[in-house]
């Protein structure tokens, strides 16, 4: 994949690191909605932006809502929590505990999405940072809407090379019919760093140098 | 795992004949402030809560009225929660302060500890907050509150 | 599975008495339920204390003393029995668990203490403290060695059979699927798909593959659903089958099932249904067309049968008539000048009637297509023009005759005399149909037949059509159907023979053509004769010349060969009367004898065609061996197959049709000798 090839072990390690992050995120979501959250074992893929848009487009034809947070540190990029737009108000209702009037829900929508994304993405990114022992700074979350290809539009300032660490994660919330995805867009140097860090993680855990 | 929070409409409690405990909640997210309020109400229904949506607003409130306890979100625009906590710590060396964040990085926790602040993970629940609140109320009692 | 009796020391590091509610009791209960669940062992990893506890089964599997295992082991023991090639990834996964990952689901090889290698599946979970810190990591091992083999077989069966599997908990927004499932719907392979994604492949108006609304207890109904594949947009039919499975724990219901592509069989079914729907109409159509063909065939067979019958009768008649006419002829010629005039009149009447009988016989032969034809290249326009006077006289004053001859008519090869006969016949019929007044049109045009037709035997090709149209009463369908039958007539008794159209039919068919009747009751009838176009040379052939009786000379010797004595006598007498020297033979063998030993120069052999021992033709061939220039004249009323090929005389063969008159005999013999 575009110069970044993970070994099988690195792939395992990445999946595991992500798994920890996602578990953390799912636990956070569980607390927020007070309902069972079904979490699929994450599948991690490094794909091009276009591929990521296709993967997402294949699954979600409608407009999407994404909460995006930039992260910077040893590796930098942008993380997104993505879910179908028609789930948006449901999610808000879920995290506000069904106590708000419909008007309040609409009024709170943007804010609630932002906070939910913040909790989930922070949980995920922070755990990865802890696992890889490299601190990350995270920006304030931003909510935006659009189709699959809009979400993966390159950030002109960041100058990313168009690779996406795409995690198929289904946050499936029973009785709410909510689902979501997490994607992280990183440039090539960041992915190279990530690969290195995964190697160190493996060495530490397995007790030998990565192949 | 937390059970359902009580389905009660939140009301700011202004009560207790003897000097009520004033809690400052600083978070730029209204949802987070509501959650903090719920958790607090569950643990200490008599405490009075004051809310601020930014660090600047929080400093104004602290200057204007007595605040006993501060719950501060880390991830805020302009000035982050750790910076605000540092400033409050300078003004009130013994005030119980908790940094509330989903950013559970070891580094953040370490920085909070360095300021003699507690660390509570988001999303905030009564259980998660209980340790800090118990400790804080003990400390307040010890100083005569 | 390692079978170990329940251990009273408890499961996880306690030796307390087994009293109800104690940890030991809990441990044992767990032990029992784990065994029931098929677990090969269980572990509990105390993260803070960094100690690892195995239950007795797992301890046995690892070859560790159960007491020790219950008291705690170094955590690294966990990896001790794991196959080295699997160990690194399991270490990574465990590291994940120790740092907060929720789910641990791994399969790997375990090298058991008994040296066997087993495939195991580890299901683990982390337990957290209030601060979300993992404190314990526990789980069970399941021996999946046998299952792995079964799964492998199942996987192959599924991919070979094109079967995709799914598992859906009603109410959840996602469904667990197999790769084949994704492929069937044209989706990127994934283990879990949103229900909405799956349902979106379903065509409009079709039920969704997964219906979240209906009662989950109801189960999964068999369904055939039309989908459009997500990747290539191709429309396919998918069958869905499944069952509602009740989980042991939790009491929830899962819908487990399969989908598979049934497009081909649906397609076949649809074709079959369409076929059934149109079957009736197509059968009717087929029956109608077959009936038409059968009618045409039946008509042809009828004509053929009648033809054979009449042909046979005519042959015998001809012989009889030859004798009758010959003898009347002779009697007349020998009648004394002073004889009773009434005798002469009687003989004359007898001759006239015999000639009429002969002409009838001729027509029967014509119909049966057994008359020998003498086709020549003919200019039909000129032939019709030449008949003008005859036709005008035949029609009478009150019927107008019009002839329309197309310019540039193609040539045909036909027996001109017979064609004239046929036209005359049709004109007479037309006249009679018009009751004396009206108009008659004889037309000749070029016709091109481009498509075969069920109700006629007409070949594709070019034809010249001669049509005779009248303004008479016309014919109904039943009459048309029988018009060609011999002896069928609509005329009053005694007015017609019923052989006119039959003769035309026979002649035209023998000439490779076709006759058509078009008629509307009250408006008139058109009969068309179609004759095949003669391709090639435009050089006009000789029109036939009328024959005249010619006398013979005694210097010319003629050998008559005929097995019928009466006919032979008639011919011999006739020829002698004409002045020829005549020898006779009663059969071919006798004839050969005469030819060889008579010592006379024989100018002509007049021979019957069908005789015992040898046909006339064989006789001719044998005779020509002795005298190559020998002229042969056949006399026959039934020359089929013997001297005629394809209904036509072979070149260089002459024929005197039976019955023949004295005049005809004289003319033919003279013609041959003078040639």
């Amino acid at each position: 994949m575009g110069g970044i090839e993970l070994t099988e072990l690195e792939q395992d390690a990445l999946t595991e690191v992500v798994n920890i992050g996602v578990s953390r995120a799912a636990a956070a979501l569980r607390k927020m909605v007070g309902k069972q959250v079904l979490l699929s074992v994450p599948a991690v893929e490094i794909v091009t932006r276009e591929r990521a848009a296709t993967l997402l487009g294949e699954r979600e034809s409608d407009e999407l809502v994404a909460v995006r947070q930039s992260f910077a540190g040893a590796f930098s990029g942008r993380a997104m929590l993505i879910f179908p737009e028609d789930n948006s108000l449901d999610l808000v209702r879920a995290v506000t505990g069904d106590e708000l009037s419909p008007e309040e829900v609409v009024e709170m929508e943007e804010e609630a999405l932002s906070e939910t994304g913040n909790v989930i993405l922070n949980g995920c990114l922070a755990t990865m940072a802890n696992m890889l022992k490299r601190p990350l700074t995270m920006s304030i979350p931003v909510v935006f809407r659009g189709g699959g290809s809009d979400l993966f539009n390159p950030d002109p300032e960041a100058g990313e090379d168009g690779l996406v660490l795409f995690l198929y994660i289904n946050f499936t919330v029973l009785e709410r019919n909510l689902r979501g995805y997490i994607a992280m867009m990183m440039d090539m140097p960041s992915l190279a760093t990530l690969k290195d860090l995964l190697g160190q993680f493996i060495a530490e855990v397995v007790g030998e140098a990565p192949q | 795992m937390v059970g359902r929070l009580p389905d009660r409409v939140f009301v700011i409690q202004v009560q207790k004949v003897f000097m009520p405990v004033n809690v400052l909640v600083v978070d730029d997210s209204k949802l987070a402030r509501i959650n903090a309020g719920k958790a607090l109400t569950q643990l200490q229904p008599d405490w009075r809560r004051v809310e601020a949506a930014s660090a600047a607003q929080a400093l104004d409130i602290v200057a204007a009225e007595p605040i006993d306890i501060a719950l501060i979100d880390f991830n805020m625009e302009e000035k982050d929660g750790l910076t605000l906590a540092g400033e409050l710590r300078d003004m009130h060396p013994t005030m119980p302060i908790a940094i509330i964040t989903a950013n559970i990085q070891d580094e953040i926790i370490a920085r909070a500890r360095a300021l003699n602040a507690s660390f509570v993970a988001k999303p905030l629940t009564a259980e998660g907050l209980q340790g800090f609140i118990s400790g804080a109320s003990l400390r307040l009692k010890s100083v005569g509150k | 599975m390692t079978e170990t009796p329940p251990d009273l020391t408890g499961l996880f590091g306690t030796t307390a008495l087994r009293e109800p509610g104690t940890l030991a009791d809990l441990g044992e209960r767990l032990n029992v339920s784990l065994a029931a669940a098929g677990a090969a062992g269980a572990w509990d990893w105390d993260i803070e204390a960094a100690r690892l506890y195995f239950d007795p089964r797992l301890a046995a599997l690892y070859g560790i003393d159960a007491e020790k295992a219950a008291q705690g082991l170094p955590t690294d023991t966990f990896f001790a029995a794991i196959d080295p090639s699997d160990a690194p990834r399991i270490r990574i996964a465990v590291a994940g668990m120790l740092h907060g990952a929720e789910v641990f689901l791994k399969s790997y090889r375990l090298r058991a203490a008994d040296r066997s290698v087993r495939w195991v599946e580890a299901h683990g979970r982390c337990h957290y403290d209030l601060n979300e810190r993992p404190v314990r990591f526990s789980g069970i091992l399941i021996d999946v060695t046998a299952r792995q083999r079964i799964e492998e077989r199942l996987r192959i069966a599924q991919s070979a059979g094109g079967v995709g599997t799914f598992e859906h908990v009603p109410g959840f927004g996602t469904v667990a699927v197999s790769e084949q499932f994704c492929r069937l719907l044209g989706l990127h392979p994934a283990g879990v798909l949103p229900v909405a994604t799956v349902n979106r492949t379903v065509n409009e108006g079709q039920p969704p593959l997964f219906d979240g609304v209906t009662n989950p207890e109801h189960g999964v109904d068999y369904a055939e659903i039309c989908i459009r594949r997500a990747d290539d947009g191709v429309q396919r039919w998918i069958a869905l089958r499944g069952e509602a499975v009740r989980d042991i724990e939790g009491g929830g219901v899962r819908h487990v099932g399969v989908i598979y592509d049934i497009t081909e069989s649906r397609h076949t079914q649809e074709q079959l249904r369409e076929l059934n729907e149109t079957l009736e109409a197509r059968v009717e159509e087929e029956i109608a067309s077959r009936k038409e063909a059968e009618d045409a065939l039946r008509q042809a067979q009828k004509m053929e049968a009648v033809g054979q019958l009449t042909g046979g009768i005519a042959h015998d008649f001809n012989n009889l008539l030859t004798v009758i006419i010959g003898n009347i002829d002779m009697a007349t010629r020998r009648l004394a000048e002073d004889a009773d005039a009434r005798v002469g009149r009687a003989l004359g009447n007898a001759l006239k009637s015999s000639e009429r009988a002969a002409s009838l016989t001729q027509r029967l032969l014509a119909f049966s297509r057994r008359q020998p034809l003498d086709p020549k290249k003919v200019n039909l326009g000129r032939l019709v023009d030449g008949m003008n006077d005859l036709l005008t006289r035949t029609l009478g004053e009150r019927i107008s005759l019009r002839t329309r001859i197309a310019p540039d008519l193609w040539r045909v090869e036909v027996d001109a005399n017979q064609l004239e006969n046929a036209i005359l016949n049709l004109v007479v019929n037309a006249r009679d149909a018009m009751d004396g007044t009206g108009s008659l049109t004889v037309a000749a045009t070029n016709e091109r037949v481009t498509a075969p037709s069920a109700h006629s035997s007409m070949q594709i090709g070019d034809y010249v059509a001669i049509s005779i149209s009248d303004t008479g009463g016309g014919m109904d369908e039943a009459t048309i159907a029988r018009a060609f039958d011999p002896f069928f007539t609509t005329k009053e008794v005694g007015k017609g023979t019923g052989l006119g159209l039959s003769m035309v039919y026979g002649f035209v068919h023998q000439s490779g053509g076709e006759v058509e009747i078009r008629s509307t009751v009250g408006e008139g009838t058109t009969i068309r004769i179609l004759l095949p176009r003669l391709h090639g040379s435009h050089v006009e052939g000789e029109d036939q010349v009328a024959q005249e009786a010619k006398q013979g000379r005694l210097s010319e010797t003629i050998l008559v060969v005929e097995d019928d004595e009466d006919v032979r006598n008639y011919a011999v007498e006739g020829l002698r009367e004409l002045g020829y020297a005549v020898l006779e033979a009663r059969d071919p063998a006798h004839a050969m004898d005469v030819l060889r030993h008579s010592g006379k120069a024989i100018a002509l052999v007049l021979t019957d065609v069908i005789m015992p021992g040898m046909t006339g033709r064989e006789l001719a061939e044998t005779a020509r061996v002795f005298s190559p220039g020998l002229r042969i004249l056949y006399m026959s009323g039934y020359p089929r197959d013997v001297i005629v090929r394809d209904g036509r005389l072979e070149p260089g063969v002459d024929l005197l049709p039976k019955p023949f008159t004295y005049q005809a005999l004289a003319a033919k013999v003279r013609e041959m000798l003078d040639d």
Side-chain angles (χ1 to χ4, degrees):
Chain A
M1 176 91 273
I4 297 290
E5 288 280 357
L6 296 186
T7 65
E8 213 172 299
L9 271 187
E10 283 165 353
Q11 180 76 38
D12 277 349
L14 178 59
T15 305
E16 215 44 66
V17 167
V18 165
N19 190 11
I20 301 163
V22 168
S23 296
R24 179 84 205 181
L29 188 63
R30 209 171 281 148
K31 280 183 196 164
M32 293 177 86
V33 302
K35 291 234 163 60
Q36 189 179 351
V37 175
L38 200 72
L39 183 64
S40 68
V41 177
V44 184
E45 243 187 288
I46 298 177
V47 296
T48 60
R49 238 177 256 288
E50 294 73 34
R51 180 94 187 110
T54 307
L55 285 173
L56 200 56
E58 195 176 74
R59 284 161 175 74
E60 304 295 340
S61 65
D62 302 327
E63 286 294 281
L64 301 165
V65 180
V67 183
R68 189 173 66 195
Q69 229 168 358
S70 297
F71 55 90
F75 52 97
S76 309
R78 290 182 293 164
M80 287 194 291
L81 170 70
I82 304 164
F83 47 89
E85 192 177 28
D86 56 9
N87 275 188
S88 170
L89 285 179
D90 268 343
L91 182 69
V92 173
R93 256 179 238 119
V95 299
T96 54
D98 288 330
E99 286 169 16
L100 301 178
S101 68
E103 294 77 29
E104 283 174 310
V105 168
V106 173
E107 191 197 320
M108 288 280 290
E109 185 179 358
E110 231 38 33
E111 137 75 23
L113 291 176
S114 166
E115 179 61 10
T116 307
N118 179 51
V119 169
I120 291 173
L121 291 174
N122 258 300
C124 194
L125 287 166
T127 308
M128 288 174 69
N130 286 347
M131 289 301 294
L132 299 172
K133 302 198 161 78
R134 289 294 183 285
L136 293 175
T137 59
M138 287 166 252
S139 75
I140 303 294
V142 187
V143 177
F144 68 106
R145 290 153 205 271
S149 49
D150 301 328
L151 302 191
F152 294 106
N153 265 343
D155 180 350
E157 287 170 36
E160 291 152 14
D161 300 343
L163 287 183
V164 177
L165 188 65
F166 192 83
L167 323 178
Y168 309 92
I169 298 160
N170 284 287
F171 283 107
T172 304
V173 183
L174 183 56
E175 289 163 41
R176 293 285 184 183
N177 196 20
L178 298 174
R179 58 185 183 276
Y181 307 85
I182 291 176
M184 291 181 199
M185 288 175 279
M186 281 182 245
D187 58 11
M188 209 69 88
S190 287
L191 283 169
T193 307
L194 184 64
K195 185 176 157 75
D196 281 350
L197 293 173
L198 289 170
Q200 291 175 28
F201 174 78
I202 293 164
E204 200 170 302
V205 168
V206 178
E208 58 189 64
Q211 299 96 328
Chain B
M1 185 63 238
V2 193
R4 288 292 307 272
L5 294 172
D7 288 343
R8 280 171 56 179
V9 178
F10 176 72
V11 181
I12 295 175
Q13 310 274 329
V14 191
Q15 53 159 287
K16 278 283 168 185
V17 185
F18 299 104
M19 296 183 289
V21 175
N22 298 304
V23 184
L24 176 63
V25 178
V26 189
D27 200 313
D28 55 357
S29 160
K30 189 179 174 189
L31 178 68
R33 295 199 300 271
I34 291 174
N35 280 337
K38 279 185 201 165
L40 271 172
T41 306
Q42 218 179 332
L43 297 167
Q44 297 286 350
D46 299 339
W47 287 7
R48 174 176 169 265
R49 203 170 79 241
V50 186
E51 293 182 9
S54 67
Q57 214 180 337
L59 288 171
D60 286 349
I61 290 168
V62 170
E65 53 187 292
I67 295 296
D68 304 304
I69 296 173
L71 302 179
I72 305 172
D73 176 35
F74 166 64
N75 204 2
M76 290 189 295
E77 270 180 288
E78 288 164 24
K79 192 183 285 178
D80 70 39
L82 279 171
T83 311
L84 174 64
E87 289 169 11
L88 287 181
R89 178 59 70 230
D90 290 345
M91 290 181 256
H92 304 279
T94 59
M95 181 196 278
I97 297 174
I99 297 295
I100 315 245
T101 182
N103 189 338
I104 50 156
Q105 287 186 75
D106 300 339
E107 185 224 0
I108 304 290
I109 297 168
R111 283 171 60 193
R113 296 231 166 97
L115 289 169
N116 193 22
S118 296
F119 179 91
V120 181
K122 264 192 183 178
L124 201 55
T125 60
E127 283 86 345
L129 197 56
Q130 190 160 29
F132 168 71
I133 292 297
S134 308
S137 70
L138 274 176
R139 197 186 306 174
L140 289 177
K141 276 177 193 154
S142 70
V143 296
K145 191 87 194 179
Chain C
M1 175 84 50
T2 309
E3 288 297 337
T4 312
D7 191 322
L8 300 190
T9 58
L11 181 54
F12 296 134
T14 172
T15 53
L17 286 173
R18 285 181 301 113
E19 282 161 22
T22 63
L23 200 52
D25 176 60
L26 281 174
E28 187 181 339
R29 278 183 5 214
L30 179 60
N31 222 343
V32 171
S33 57
L34 284 178
W43 79 87
D44 185 32
W45 184 318
D46 185 336
I47 295 168
E48 281 191 352
R51 295 299 283 171
L52 180 66
Y53 303 93
F54 281 172
D55 79 338
R57 281 184 308 268
L58 193 54
L61 209 54
Y62 271 67
I64 295 169
D65 178 63
E67 267 313 314
K68 270 191 182 167
Q71 279 154 17
L73 304 160
T75 56
D76 217 41
T77 313
F78 189 85
F79 307 102
I82 296 175
D83 190 277
S85 53
D86 291 326
R89 63 185 179 89
I90 302 307
R91 277 182 185 274
I92 290 170
V94 169
M97 293 307 289
L98 301 183
H99 287 87
E102 244 176 66
V103 191
F104 181 83
L105 176 55
K106 297 282 167 193
S107 58
Y108 51 87
R109 278 155 292 185
L110 200 69
R111 293 173 171 252
D114 62 5
R115 292 172 174 268
S116 67
V117 175
R118 290 149 193 265
W119 271 103
V120 295
E121 199 172 80
H123 296 249
R125 222 163 226 299
C126 250
H127 305 272
Y128 304 92
D129 66 5
L130 282 179
N131 293 318
E132 307 294 335
R133 298 197 168 273
V135 288
R136 281 168 60 217
F137 166 45
S138 55
I140 58 168
L141 276 191
I142 296 169
D143 190 330
V144 293
T145 312
R147 202 180 80 191
Q148 280 241 331
R149 251 182 269 136
I150 293 163
E151 273 175 0
E152 181 71 7
R153 261 182 270 157
L154 184 63
R155 191 186 57 75
I156 290 167
Q158 283 176 0
S159 63
V163 174
T165 57
F166 66 85
E167 192 174 318
H168 178 230
V169 178
F172 278 79
T174 55
V175 55
V177 295
S178 67
E179 276 196 22
Q180 187 67 31
F181 184 100
C182 300
R183 269 196 290 276
L184 283 167
L185 301 181
L187 293 166
H188 183 82
V192 175
L193 285 173
V195 168
T197 302
V198 175
N199 284 341
R200 210 162 31 241
T201 62
V202 172
N203 271 6
E204 218 168 296
Q206 294 277 312
L209 281 159
F210 298 108
D211 184 355
V213 184
T214 52
N215 179 9
E217 306 290 329
H218 176 68
V220 183
D221 286 330
Y222 173 75
E224 293 185 3
I225 295 163
C226 186
I227 61 119
R228 198 170 286 284
R229 278 206 297 248
D231 50 0
D232 56 11
V234 173
Q235 187 172 300
R236 307 293 292 181
W237 279 93
I238 295 289
L240 181 144
R241 255 181 222 286
E243 287 174 19
V245 177
R246 183 165 291 279
D247 281 333
I248 297 162
E249 56 173 290
V253 168
R254 287 173 297 136
H255 286 173
V256 183
V258 296
I259 63 168
Y260 48 95
D261 195 306
I262 51 162
T263 310
E264 299 313 321
S265 70
R266 279 289 292 219
H267 193 62
T268 313
Q269 271 175 26
E270 254 159 54
Q271 276 181 332
L272 204 61
R273 205 185 56 230
E274 237 166 68
L275 218 58
N276 275 334
E277 276 168 4
T278 58
L279 189 62
E280 212 168 295
R282 285 186 306 109
V283 165
E284 268 169 27
E285 196 178 301
E286 186 65 27
I287 286 173
S289 123
R290 189 158 294 188
K291 189 170 184 304
E292 220 168 83
E294 274 174 5
D295 285 349
L297 179 64
R298 198 174 302 121
Q299 177 72 6
Q301 284 172 338
K302 182 179 79 182
M303 298 304 245
E304 185 66 23
V306 174
Q308 273 178 11
L309 184 66
T310 51
I313 293 167
H315 173 71
D316 290 343
F317 260 56
N318 273 341
N319 279 344
L320 295 174
L321 286 170
T322 303
V323 175
I324 293 166
I325 289 170
N327 286 301
I328 293 171
D329 231 23
M330 195 168 304
T332 309
R333 272 180 279 118
R334 298 270 168 90
L335 200 64
E337 292 286 327
D338 56 349
D340 189 341
R342 282 175 301 181
V343 176
R345 274 202 304 279
L347 282 173
N349 286 339
L351 185 61
K352 214 183 274 173
S353 288
S354 302
E355 276 167 355
R356 272 185 61 198
S359 128
L360 274 177
T361 314
Q362 198 56 46
R363 289 187 198 190
L364 283 173
L365 279 173
F367 162 70
S368 67
R369 285 178 262 166
R370 284 176 177 92
Q371 69 174 342
L373 294 180
D374 191 10
K376 299 264 159 57
K377 287 170 207 146
V378 171
N379 180 329
L380 283 180
R382 197 185 294 174
L383 183 139
V384 172
D385 276 344
M387 293 181 72
N388 230 324
D389 277 355
L390 177 65
L391 296 183
T392 309
R393 260 184 283 123
T394 306
L395 288 170
E397 285 172 3
R398 293 194 298 160
I399 296 174
S400 62
L401 172 72
R402 273 178 276 175
T403 53
R404 281 210 298 261
I405 312 297
D408 304 325
L409 269 188
W410 293 322
R411 296 304 158 98
V412 294
E413 196 173 40
V414 68
D415 187 318
N417 284 338
Q418 294 295 339
L419 181 59
E420 282 177 354
N421 253 341
I423 293 172
L424 188 60
N425 253 306
L426 293 175
V427 168
V428 168
N429 274 351
R431 179 198 66 194
D432 295 346
M434 287 187 286
D435 274 340
T437 55
S439 75
L440 184 133
T441 307
V442 179
T445 51
N446 292 334
E447 288 284 326
R448 182 155 280 174
V449 175
T450 52
S453 132
H455 51 266
S456 97
S457 58
M458 197 111 99
Q459 305 288 311
I460 290 171
D462 291 343
Y463 294 83
V464 176
I466 301 159
S467 57
I468 289 98
S469 311
D470 63 54
T471 56
M475 290 183 272
D476 58 24
E477 273 188 38
T479 309
I480 293 172
R482 299 190 58 197
F484 293 126
D485 291 6
F487 306 112
F488 176 78
T489 178
T490 57
K491 294 173 187 174
E492 282 171 45
V493 176
K495 272 203 162 180
T497 58
L499 283 175
L501 275 178
S502 310
M503 186 218 110
V504 172
Y505 178 89
F507 156 69
V508 173
H509 276 249
Q510 198 175 346
S511 303
E514 183 68 61
V515 193
E516 287 177 357
I517 303 179
R518 284 175 198 169
S519 184
T520 309
V521 175
E523 287 178 20
T525 301
T526 296
I527 294 184
R528 301 207 313 159
I529 295 171
L530 290 122
L531 295 168
R533 175 187 184 178
L534 172 68
H535 289 275
S537 163
H538 278 254
V539 179
E540 201 164 318
E542 295 291 315
D543 285 357
Q544 277 191 345
V545 186
Q547 304 153 349
E548 273 177 38
K550 298 249 176 78
Q551 291 292 305
R553 291 180 285 275
L554 265 176
S555 56
E556 294 163 323
T557 304
I558 295 171
L559 171 62
V560 176
V561 189
E562 168 68 68
D563 58 331
D564 187 318
E565 199 176 341
D566 292 339
V567 176
R568 190 174 67 239
N569 286 340
Y570 164 61
V572 169
E573 289 303 310
L575 287 170
R576 282 193 179 133
E577 204 149 312
L578 283 166
Y580 297 102
V582 182
L583 297 172
E584 52 185 304
R586 64 185 175 276
D587 57 49
H590 186 201
M592 286 307 298
D593 207 37
V594 174
L595 278 171
R596 275 185 223 170
H597 306 294
S598 69
K600 294 195 175 177
I602 291 170
L604 178 86
V605 176
L606 175 63
T607 176
D608 191 13
V609 175
I610 298 163
M611 289 173 295
M614 196 188 269
T615 67
R617 183 173 174 166
E618 287 160 348
L619 171 65
E621 280 166 7
T622 317
R624 275 178 174 157
V625 174
F626 291 96
S627 46
L630 189 64
R631 294 180 179 91
I632 310 278
L633 176 61
Y634 296 113
M635 48 182 170
S636 176
Y638 195 81
R640 194 182 194 190
D641 299 334
V642 183
I643 53 169
V644 175
R645 215 164 261 167
D646 299 330
R648 293 167 183 215
L649 278 178
E650 282 181 35
V653 170
D654 283 282
L655 177 73
L656 180 64
K658 280 181 188 172
F660 47 86
T661 60
Y662 176 72
Q663 288 287 337
L665 177 66
K668 194 71 193 176
V669 169
R670 194 67 257 156
E671 180 195 326
M672 288 199 60
L673 293 175
D674 291 347
D675 191 11

